[in-house]
């Protein structure tokens, strides 16, 4: 079976959050968290997604799983339109797409033994007999490097790294095909980060998983991803394979991000491209290219017209007039 | 002035009383810092690095069990000063702190300009107007527009609030600034910006920094010297160039190997197990239980060995 190159298709995805004001809580405006984003995830790959906080990367991940209802657009997962499903068909779809949350301290129920947490999904989806669910749970814990006796313990008895592995086990228990990893290592110490990254890699090759890996740390993304998407203010600005992105970034925002990556070597202190100002508010994004007020190479056209997300070379998409 | 150091810390101890017993957060710490240098204190969470900052600045909580040792600032023994003298002459006047999560350390109901001016009024006794002028100057130094003096913290972005916190630490022109995880909560671009500001300040104002962080990669931007902390103790001190090239202590080596780097495809390493509890730390070398190179000798506590100006607390370097 050849991997499906269009395993998950995201088409013109939009998510606007209403802003309410006043006594009557009337909707006065919208935060355009995700504004017309399209991309595909290939079966078996890891698609990294990077951007500064507030650029909408988490919202993309959550709307794809319908944890947040989209404003517009389509997501086609393995041939099915996710946004059209409801009831039983939505539930069965959700078995195949899971998420690992950012904060391992907040994402586990403190009053539930972790074995029950991991089994929760199996119970909801009525997988096999209770005995089998228990076996699957123990087996999944083993896959992430935990032991049988851990199942009865509570989250507070575990360290951050262990909790994140429990989070992975929770996502993995239903044997999904697609997992959204939302900043899975950002809250962990470096010495533990690498362990979690290695586990994610091993599980991917064992179960043929597809990942959408959301992070703001480019070195981590580079380490784990096959392709990388860069987001800025609700838009995707560049998408290409890892080697191409890191050797030949086309978008000026990507270049600025690259130059900001710290390298643990004092002899390599480089001059960095420093962007002016802060990310503008997604409430009222700049006209034309959203990056133009901070862009070092902006021209007049950049302020007037929005650049299209176009294919610059066979495996390289970019949204920039100058690229 | 060759052997006059800006800061010398000797046998510093800070223990806390806690429900389970005594937490040995800072245990016999030695280190030195020269004028116009930056030392990075690296370590995992819970290794006592923030407590070290508090111990140096004598910002102690109520549950202190033991606090002793010697701290020389410009050859002056500051541990012998009483609280009032310390407050008047040392804290903020000679060394200041940018606290952890400085973004949230600002008072939400005061204008940021007033907050930056406040230490100057309290520690230097200048008038409010003078202090505001000094604050305006500091805003320029850290790269925040003077227009922001009259704004409230919520009107500023995370990176700007961080700069304001740095300005607050600089307004009394101390010679030493302690930065506790200054960029951990910020995006890469903002981090890069802040580090550029720090590098410039170091050059322009001749400042020294103690930078406390777990982010090895970012810290290398600023570091002249490195001290690695593990379970309340400093296990290695070295100049940055040689440290990043070849760390000596097995813990430092493991820590460096676990950092993902660009354009390098290798399996990342990680350190098995967890740091020991500081309530009842293991006897002998505290890292022994997780160390890949341990041998019989490690059940005894290693002394600090000196090697070409680098110091390492490990039997392998005997």
């Amino acid at each position: 079976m050849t991997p499906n190159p269009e395993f998950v298709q995201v088409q013109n995805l939009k998510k606007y959050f209403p802003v309410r004001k006043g006594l009557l809580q009337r909707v006065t405006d919208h935060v355009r968290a995700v504004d017309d984003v399209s991309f595909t995830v290939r079966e078996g790959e890891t698609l990294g997604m990077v951007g500064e906080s507030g650029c909408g990367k988490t919202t993309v991940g959550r709307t794809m799983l319908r944890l947040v209802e989209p404003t517009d657009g389509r997501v086609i997962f393995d041939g099915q339109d996710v946004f059209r499903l409801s009831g039983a068909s939505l539930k069965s779809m959700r078995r195949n797409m899971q998420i690992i949350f950012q904060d391992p301290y907040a994402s586990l129920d403190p009053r539930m033994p972790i074995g029950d947490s991991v089994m929760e999904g199996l119970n909801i989806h009525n997988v096999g007999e209770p005995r089998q669910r228990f076996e699957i749970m123990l087996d999944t814990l083993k896959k992430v490097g935990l032991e049988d006796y851990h199942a009865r313990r509570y989250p507070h008895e575990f360290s951050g790294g262990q909790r994140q592995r429990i989070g992975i086990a929770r996502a993995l228990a239903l044997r999904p095909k697609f997992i959204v990893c939302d900043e899975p290592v950002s809250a962990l110490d470096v010495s533990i980060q690498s362990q979690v990254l290695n586990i994610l890699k091993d599980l991917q090759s064992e179960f043929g998983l597809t990942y959408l890996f959301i992070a703001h740390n480019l070195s981590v993304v580079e380490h784990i991803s096959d392709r990388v998407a860069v987001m800025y203010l609700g838009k995707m600005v560049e998408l290409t394979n890892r080697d191409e992105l890191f050797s030949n970034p086309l978008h000026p925002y990507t270049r600025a991000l690259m130059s900001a990556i710290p390298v643990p070597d004092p002899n390599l202190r480089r001059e960095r491209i420093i962007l002016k100002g802060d990310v503008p508010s997604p409430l009222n994004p700049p006209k034309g290219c959203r990056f133009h007020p901070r862009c070092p190479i902006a021209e007049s056209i950049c302020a007037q017209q929005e650049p299209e997300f176009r294919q610059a070379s066979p495996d390289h998409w970019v949204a920039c007039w100058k690229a | 002035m060759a052997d006059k150091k800006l800061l010398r810390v000797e046998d510093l101890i800070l223990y806390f009383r806690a429900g389970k017993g005594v937490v040995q957060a800072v245990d016999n710490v030695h280190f030195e810092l020269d004028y116009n240098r930056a030392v990075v204190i690296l370590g995992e969470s819970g290794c006592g690095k923030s407590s070290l900052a508090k111990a140096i600045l004598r910002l102690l909580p109520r549950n202190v069990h033991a606090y002793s040792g010697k701290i020389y600032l410009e050859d002056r023994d500051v541990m012998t000063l009483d609280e009032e003298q310390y407050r008047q002459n040392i804290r903020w006047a000679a060394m200041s702190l940018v606290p952890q999560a400085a973004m949230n350390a600002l008072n939400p109901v005061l204008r940021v300009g007033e907050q930056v001016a406040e230490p100057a009024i309290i520690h230097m006794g200048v008038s409010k107007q003078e202090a505001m002028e000094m604050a305006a100057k500091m805003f320029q130094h850290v790269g925040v527009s003077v227009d922001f003096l009259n704004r409230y913290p919520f009107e500023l972005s995370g990176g700007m609030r961080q700069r304001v916190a740095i300005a607050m630490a600089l307004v009394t022109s101390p010679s030493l600034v302690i930065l506790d995880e200054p960029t951990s909560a910020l995006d890469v671009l903002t981090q890069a910006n802040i580090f550029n500001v720090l590098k410039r300040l170091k050059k322009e104002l001749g400042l020294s920094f103690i930078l406390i962080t777990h982010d090895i990669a970012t810290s290398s931007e600023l570091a002249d010297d490195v001290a690695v902390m593990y379970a309340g103790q400093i296990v290695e001190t070295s100049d940055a160039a040689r440290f990043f090239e070849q760390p000596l202590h097995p813990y430092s080596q493991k820590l460096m190997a676990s950092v993902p780097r660009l354009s390098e495809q290798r399996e990342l390493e990680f350190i098995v197990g967890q740091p020991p509890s500081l309530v009842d730390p293991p006897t002998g070398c505290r890292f022994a239980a997780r160390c890949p190179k341990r041998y019989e000798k490690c059940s005894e506590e290693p002394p600090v060995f000196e090697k070409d100006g680098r110091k390492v607390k490990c039997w392998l370097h005997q």
Side-chain angles (χ1 to χ4, degrees):
Chain A
M1 204 180 79
T2 50
N4 181 357
E6 298 188 328
F7 186 55
V8 187
Q9 286 172 268
V10 177
Q11 297 169 350
N12 307 97
L13 185 69
K14 287 180 190 162
K15 175 66 197 174
Y16 296 171
F17 290 104
V19 179
R20 292 171 197 279
K21 269 200 181 136
L23 191 64
L24 299 173
Q25 291 291 292
R26 258 194 289 252
V27 177
T28 53
D29 215 338
H30 287 92
V31 174
R32 297 173 189 191
V34 178
D35 202 0
D36 207 352
V37 166
S38 305
F39 60 97
T40 57
V41 187
R42 299 171 184 163
E43 193 168 2
E45 78 165 350
T46 301
L47 177 67
M49 189 171 268
V50 291
E52 289 172 90
S53 33
C55 72
K57 52 193 194 301
T58 297
T59 311
V60 169
R62 295 196 173 182
T63 24
M64 281 171 76
L65 303 188
R66 261 183 90 175
L67 296 176
V68 183
E69 288 298 324
T71 306
D72 197 15
R74 293 212 297 174
V75 171
I76 299 174
F77 176 78
D78 216 3
Q80 276 181 290
D81 188 338
V82 179
F83 297 159
R84 292 244 179 110
L85 299 175
S86 61
S89 48
L90 177 63
K91 191 173 162 185
S92 70
M93 158 78 37
R94 284 201 162 134
R95 255 190 88 162
N96 286 321
M97 32 199 340
Q98 293 287 320
I99 183 165
I100 300 167
F101 291 101
Q102 173 165 13
D103 186 349
Y105 295 90
S107 59
L108 293 170
D109 185 339
R111 293 200 280 183
M112 200 187 258
I114 62 115
D116 293 0
S117 277
V118 173
M119 245 186 327
E120 206 177 11
L122 296 167
N123 293 336
I124 289 170
H125 289 277
N126 253 323
V127 181
E129 296 295 310
R131 184 72 221 163
Q132 283 173 298
R133 291 178 211 158
F134 191 74
E135 293 297 329
I136 294 174
M137 180 268 288
L138 291 183
D139 182 53
T140 314
L141 284 183
K142 214 161 282 160
K143 294 268 184 258
V144 298
L146 295 167
E147 300 294 329
D148 289 1
Y149 63 85
H150 285 131
R152 267 178 293 130
R153 298 201 177 164
Y154 288 88
H156 74 263
E157 297 175 72
F158 294 93
S159 67
Q162 285 175 316
R163 281 188 220 199
Q164 198 54 289
R165 284 188 269 151
I166 298 164
I168 294 171
R170 241 172 92 85
L172 196 69
L174 286 163
R175 302 288 182 265
K177 294 178 186 159
F178 176 60
I179 300 182
V180 172
C181 310
D182 187 3
E183 305 252 17
V185 298
S186 310
L188 306 174
D189 263 319
V190 259
S191 59
I192 313 292
Q193 266 187 13
S194 41
Q195 184 183 20
V196 172
L197 290 177
N198 289 347
I199 287 176
L200 285 173
K201 272 194 160 175
D202 293 346
L203 292 173
Q204 180 168 45
S205 51
E206 188 175 345
F207 294 105
L209 295 168
T210 306
Y211 290 141
L212 177 69
F213 192 94
I214 300 167
H216 64 264
N217 184 332
L218 273 165
S219 328
V220 169
V221 166
E222 199 239 26
H223 186 77
I224 197 160
S225 307
D226 300 304
R227 291 192 304 152
V228 183
V230 182
M231 288 206 47
Y232 183 76
L233 211 60
K235 288 272 181 194
M236 194 167 279
V237 295
E238 191 159 1
L239 170 65
T240 183
N241 63 61
R242 175 189 55 205
D243 296 336
E244 175 84 0
L245 187 84
F246 285 86
S247 61
N248 181 26
L250 291 179
H251 200 282
Y253 178 66
T254 315
R255 282 190 223 138
L257 272 182
M258 298 283 174
S259 81
I261 303 174
V263 181
D265 184 347
N267 302 320
L268 272 179
R269 291 180 195 178
R270 314 141 289 173
E271 199 38 51
R272 295 155 141 197
I273 306 170
I274 295 301
L275 296 176
K276 297 167 277 188
D278 288 302
V279 186
S281 155
L283 209 58
N284 189 11
K287 290 221 163 40
C289 171
R290 295 190 174 186
F291 185 57
H292 85 264
R294 301 174 77 195
C295 183
I297 56 168
E299 285 180 2
S300 55
I301 187 168
C302 303
Q304 290 151 12
Q305 261 184 305
E306 192 170 320
E308 210 183 313
F309 194 55
R310 64 188 172 82
Q311 201 162 4
S313 62
D315 197 20
H316 201 154
W317 281 265
V318 65
C320 178
W321 290 114
K322 306 264 298 177
Chain B
M1 220 173 71
D3 49 355
K4 195 179 170 192
K5 301 276 183 195
L6 174 65
L7 180 76
R8 269 189 305 153
V9 175
E10 290 175 6
D11 306 314
L12 188 66
I13 283 176
L14 178 60
Y15 293 175
F16 299 120
R17 271 191 314 276
K20 289 177 188 161
V22 175
V23 181
Q24 307 183 11
V26 179
D27 198 18
N28 258 316
V29 163
H30 285 252
F31 74 95
E32 288 177 344
L33 178 61
D34 264 325
Y35 287 90
N36 202 10
R37 298 274 284 184
V39 61
V40 171
I41 298 185
L42 279 177
E44 289 172 271
S45 13
C47 74
K49 50 196 197 301
S50 292
S51 299
L52 176 62
K54 287 185 183 135
I56 294 171
L57 265 178
R58 218 197 271 183
L59 292 168
L60 304 176
R62 282 188 192 165
N63 59 339
V64 172
H65 176 79
Y67 176 54
S68 67
K70 290 204 157 63
I71 299 172
Y72 295 98
L73 188 69
E74 307 197 285
D75 280 342
R76 177 173 178 194
D77 185 357
V78 301
M79 287 296 266
T80 55
L81 300 176
D82 67 32
E83 184 53 35
E84 185 56 24
Q85 280 175 319
Y86 188 88
R87 188 187 70 75
Q88 277 180 9
N89 300 318
I90 307 295
R91 194 182 297 135
W92 246 263
M95 51 185 176
S96 60
L97 173 76
V98 179
Q100 194 164 16
M103 299 173 58
N104 304 321
L106 299 170
N107 186 335
V109 297
L110 283 182
R111 296 173 202 276
V112 291
E114 290 170 22
Q115 297 190 54
V116 172
E118 195 180 8
I121 299 171
I122 292 176
H123 293 278
M124 300 168 82
V126 299
S127 73
K128 181 157 183 201
Q129 204 189 342
E130 273 176 274
M132 286 306 281
E133 277 163 25
M134 290 163 78
K137 216 162 109 197
M138 278 308 133
F139 267 55
Q140 285 164 358
H141 269 302
V142 297
V144 178
S145 160
V146 182
D147 306 338
F148 282 90
L149 277 170
N150 286 323
R151 303 240 189 151
Y152 290 94
F154 76 90
E155 297 176 284
L156 275 60
S157 69
M160 282 208 275
R161 272 184 264 172
Q162 186 67 53
R163 286 160 196 246
V164 168
I166 294 172
M168 212 192 308
L170 293 178
V171 70
T172 49
S173 38
S175 41
L176 172 64
V177 179
I178 302 173
L179 303 148
D180 192 359
E181 302 271 11
T183 59
S184 309
L186 303 171
D187 283 312
V188 266
L189 284 170
T190 323
Q191 272 184 4
N193 263 322
I194 298 280
F195 270 92
N196 280 358
V197 169
L198 293 175
K199 273 188 260 182
R200 208 186 60 234
L201 289 170
K202 184 170 162 243
K203 216 189 286 172
E204 285 174 5
L205 306 176
L207 285 172
S208 290
F209 290 117
I210 297 178
L211 174 66
I212 292 172
T213 184
H214 65 264
D215 188 341
I216 298 165
T218 328
S219 71
S220 69
E221 285 286 323
L222 190 69
D224 297 310
D225 300 301
V226 179
V228 181
M229 211 166 163
Y230 185 77
Q233 299 176 328
I234 286 187
V235 293
E236 176 168 359
T237 45
S238 168
D239 55 292
R242 284 186 291 169
F243 177 83
F244 286 108
E245 185 137 316
Q246 196 190 28
L248 292 176
H249 198 283
Y251 174 63
S252 324
Q253 289 164 0
K254 280 295 221 180
L255 207 55
M256 290 287 281
S258 65
V259 183
R261 293 164 192 240
L262 287 183
S263 41
E264 202 181 84
Q265 281 309 303
R266 63 181 163 100
E267 183 87 335
L268 290 177
E269 290 186 32
F270 59 90
I271 308 177
V272 279
Q274 282 176 64
S277 154
L278 296 176
V279 174
D280 186 20
T283 49
C285 172
R286 293 188 177 177
F287 185 58
R290 302 169 79 192
C291 183
K293 295 177 180 166
R294 69 173 166 269
Y295 64 118
E296 310 84 60
K297 198 97 181 171
C298 300
S299 54
E300 287 170 50
E301 178 159 354
V304 176
F305 296 105
E306 196 156 347
K307 205 175 169 184
D308 311 323
R310 306 170 69 178
K311 288 179 185 157
V312 55
K313 190 176 168 69
C314 176
W315 285 113
L316 291 170
H317 298 278
Q318 197 173 351

